[in-house]
């Protein structure tokens, strides 16, 4: 059974075609520059490639090109779109409206669009893509939506509320939602399987560290707290995002720099983080290279990340009243032994002891990297959000 996984942004449409018999990716690609031109880059699992400039006034034309590329030409992988059984879409914000994977109806699309105020960059684009997909695919191909926020809907109120007047939470839905839920759900389950334990009874701190990063306390397979908040800006320092910052510093800087709220949002989301502190790059590899050359601000940046991760591990251990395992995933979590070592250093009190040699050797593979006598297990667990979306889609349409 073939499932198409779609991750739509305002001007892009990333996709993977997955054969669920063996969970194999047949082809993947990206249609981008939607609305401002158009370009498709497509690759098959056996190494064939197709790339072209196109005209994509809207997501509809991008979907049409995607269909054409999958079914015709040198990089085709299927004969007809009828071979695709369902489409699974990644949706960033489901707020309190969606707490689980959902079958798409016109009403569902309206609700996703209605949440655009809570995710201005993403949700409207998702709605456009869902409508376009409906036009291009026949009506009997089910579409399914999987929400980044859904996994965190199990957080208790004391974890998700902000200390603001309650009426504003009720009226404007301002609260912590958390993101990267698909990844945290995937890796925490994969870790339980690797440990040979049921999720029930397991206390895990899941560290998804990439260009965007979030850390989640997963107890009994459920999210009970997470570092990202109302938007994906909160939590640890990220590529270009500041992470947690005192709100008074924001209003102070707004006045000092003469910025309006949108410019301030840009400052915190696009000019801060690794880029802002190091002054070098938003990319962890570039910052780490500068550390090796003795750059002090680069060192400060990487130290900040490790220190913040450590604090989340400590506070979530308190929240869960214990800790069985810490896992690292995402581009940085899976590949940067320096970050993992820095985050786990001086954590003996918590029962965390890394096998430093094994940690150094581990890159992107499911591996236990804690020392044999470590009370808490530490793992690298590669994430695969697309596969989880495909699995969810399959599970829902099989019902
Ligand atoms: P992601 O958003 O999950 O794709 O992760 C992107 C981040 O992972 C970037 O900051 C990269 O620099 C970082 N990254 C990828 N590979 C490595 C590596 N080998 N060592 C250190 N950081 C890496």
């Amino acid at each position: 059974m073939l499932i198409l996984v779609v991750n739509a942004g305002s001007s892009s449409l990333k996709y993977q075609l997955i054969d669920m018999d063996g969970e194999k990716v047949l082809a993947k690609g990206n249609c981008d520059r939607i609305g401002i031109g158009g370009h498709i880059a497509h690759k098959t699992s056996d190494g064939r490639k197709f790339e072209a400039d196109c005209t994509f006034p809207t997501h509809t034309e991008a979907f049409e090109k995607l269909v054409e590329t999958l079914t015709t030409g040198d990089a085709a992988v299927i004969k007809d779109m009828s071979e695709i059984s369902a489409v699974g879409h990644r949706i960033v914000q489901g707020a309190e409206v969606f707490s689980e994977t959902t079958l798409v109806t016109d009403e569902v699309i309206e609700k996703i669009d209605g949440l655009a105020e809570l995710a201005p960059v993403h949700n409207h684009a998702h709605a456009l893509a869902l409508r376009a997909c409906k036009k291009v695919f026949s009506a009997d191909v089910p579409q399914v939506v999987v929400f980044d926020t859904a996994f965190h809907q199990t957080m208790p109120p004391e974890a998700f509320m902000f200390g603001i007047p309650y009426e504003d939470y009720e009226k404007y839905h301002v609260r912590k939602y958390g993101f990267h839920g698909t990844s945290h759900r995937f890796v925490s389950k994969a870790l339980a399987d690797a440990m040979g334990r049921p999720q029930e009874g397991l206390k895990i701190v899941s560290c998804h560290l990439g260009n965007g990063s979030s850390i989640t306390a997963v107890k009994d397979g459920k999210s009970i707290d997470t570092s990202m908040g109302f938007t994906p800006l909160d939590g640890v320092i990220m590529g270009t995002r500041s992470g947690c910052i005192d709100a008074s510093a924001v209003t102070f800087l707004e006045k000092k720099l003469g910025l309006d709220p949108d410019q301030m949002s840009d400052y915190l989301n696009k000019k801060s983080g690794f880029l802002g502190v190091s002054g070098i790059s938003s990319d962890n590899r570039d910052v780490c290279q500068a550390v090796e050359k003795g750059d002090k601000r680069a060192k400060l940046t990487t130290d900040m990340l490790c220190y913040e991760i450590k604090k989340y591990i400590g506070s979530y251990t308190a929240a869960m009243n214990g800790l069985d395992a810490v896992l690292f995933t995402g581009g940085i979590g899976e590949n940067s032994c320096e970050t993992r070592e820095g985050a786990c250093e001086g954590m003996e009190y918590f029962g965390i002891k890394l096998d430093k040699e094994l940690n150094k050797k581990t890159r992107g593979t499911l591996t236990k990297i804690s020392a044999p006598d470590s009370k808490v297990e530490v793992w690298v667990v590669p994430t695969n959000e697309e596969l989880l979306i495909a699995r969810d889609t399959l599970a829902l349409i099989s019902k």
Side-chain angles (χ1 to χ4, degrees):
M1 181 181 280
L2 303 187
I3 291 188
L4 181 69
V5 176
V6 172
N7 183 355
S10 50
S11 64
S12 69
L13 207 155
K14 293 198 189 97
Y15 60 90
Q16 282 193 11
L17 183 64
I18 302 179
D19 184 353
M20 296 311 286
D21 304 324
E23 298 189 331
K24 189 170 167 262
V25 178
L26 299 183
K28 60 165 95 172
N30 188 14
C31 298
D32 64 359
R33 300 182 55 77
I34 297 171
I36 52 163
H39 183 263
I40 185 167
H42 171 89
K43 215 163 71 180
T44 67
S45 57
D46 54 10
R48 288 170 291 142
K49 282 183 188 162
F50 174 73
E51 211 169 311
D53 286 331
C54 316
T55 309
F56 297 153
T58 68
H59 287 78
T60 306
E61 291 76 14
F63 265 114
E64 283 166 352
K65 189 71 193 173
L66 182 164
V67 169
E68 187 189 311
T69 309
L70 287 172
T71 52
T72 59
D74 291 344
V77 283
I78 51 173
K79 287 205 177 69
D80 193 276
M81 286 311 269
S82 62
E83 292 175 48
I84 296 180
S85 301
V87 184
H89 296 258
R90 174 199 175 216
I91 308 290
V92 167
Q93 179 59 278
E96 291 175 329
V97 180
F98 297 102
S99 56
E100 57 188 16
T101 295
T102 304
L103 202 61
V104 174
T105 60
D106 287 340
E107 195 194 345
V108 166
I109 300 178
E110 287 313 308
K111 282 185 179 163
I112 289 170
D113 212 359
L115 295 170
E117 204 184 16
L118 297 179
V121 186
H122 294 104
N123 268 43
H124 183 56
H126 295 325
L128 288 176
L130 285 163
R131 290 190 190 108
C133 192
K134 266 191 67 181
K135 272 194 217 159
V136 174
F137 283 77
S138 85
D140 56 0
V141 177
Q143 292 193 59
V144 167
V145 276
V146 182
F147 297 89
D148 273 10
T149 47
F151 183 57
H152 301 298
Q153 280 295 301
T154 45
M155 284 189 292
E158 64 269 28
F160 73 66
M161 284 297 294
F162 295 137
I164 57 168
Y166 195 83
E167 311 80 79
D168 291 333
Y169 156 64
E170 290 182 310
K171 201 163 160 194
Y172 301 114
H173 313 287
V174 175
R175 50 159 282 182
K176 176 189 284 203
Y177 289 106
F179 297 87
H180 286 146
T182 319
S183 176
H184 289 297
R185 182 153 68 94
F186 181 86
V187 288
S188 54
K189 171 76 170 70
L191 175 58
D193 291 346
M195 291 171 77
R197 289 184 53 179
Q199 287 186 287
E200 195 64 34
L202 258 190
K203 295 166 181 174
I204 296 172
V205 173
S206 171
C207 306
H208 178 116
L209 311 172
N211 193 33
S213 299
S214 71
I215 301 184
T216 298
V218 185
K219 189 178 180 194
D220 303 324
K222 296 191 177 81
S223 167
I224 63 148
D225 203 351
T226 191
S227 62
M228 279 180 172
F230 178 59
T231 71
L233 177 65
D234 206 357
V236 299
I237 184 169
M238 295 169 241
T240 58
R241 289 173 242 168
S242 62
C244 174
I245 178 170
D246 180 348
S248 297
V250 176
T251 49
F252 178 88
L253 281 168
E254 248 176 20
K255 283 185 202 148
K256 283 282 176 199
L257 301 172
L259 303 177
D260 66 28
D262 286 341
Q263 290 169 324
M264 192 64 214
S265 170
D266 226 45
Y267 175 96
L268 293 169
N269 278 290
K270 297 186 182 152
K271 298 181 180 153
S272 300
F274 288 11
L275 178 66
V277 177
S278 72
I280 293 167
S281 169
S282 62
D283 194 286
N284 181 56
R285 280 166 293 200
D286 299 338
V287 178
C288 289
Q289 269 176 16
V291 173
E292 275 171 31
K293 289 185 190 139
D295 188 283
K296 287 203 175 108
R297 273 170 57 184
K299 176 79 170 70
L300 170 64
T301 309
T302 54
D303 284 351
M304 283 171 72
L305 175 64
C306 294
Y307 180 66
E308 289 169 12
I309 298 168
K310 201 189 289 260
K311 284 202 296 185
Y312 273 107
I313 295 173
S315 61
Y316 288 166
T317 302
M320 293 188 289
N321 188 22
L323 181 64
D324 296 302
V326 175
L327 76 83
F328 291 97
T329 193
I332 298 176
E334 290 171 37
N335 295 296
S336 172
C337 55
E338 296 88 353
T339 307
R340 296 190 301 249
E341 184 173 330
C344 293
E345 210 164 76
M347 297 286 279
E348 295 82 8
Y349 183 78
F350 284 82
I352 297 172
K353 199 170 147 197
L354 219 54
D355 179 332
K356 290 190 183 175
E357 283 314 304
L358 193 53
N359 177 45
K360 277 203 184 90
K361 282 189 225 148
T362 304
R363 229 170 233 161
T365 50
L366 178 70
T367 312
K368 182 170 148 184
I369 55 167
S370 46
D373 59 341
S374 180
K375 201 173 92 191
V376 171
E377 294 188 13
V378 184
W379 286 75
V380 172
V381 184
T383 192
N384 192 340
E385 291 166 86
E386 290 78 13
L387 180 57
L388 187 67
I389 292 171
R391 282 181 186 167
D392 262 23
T393 303
L394 177 63
L396 196 66
I397 63 167
S398 306
K399 263 187 195 169

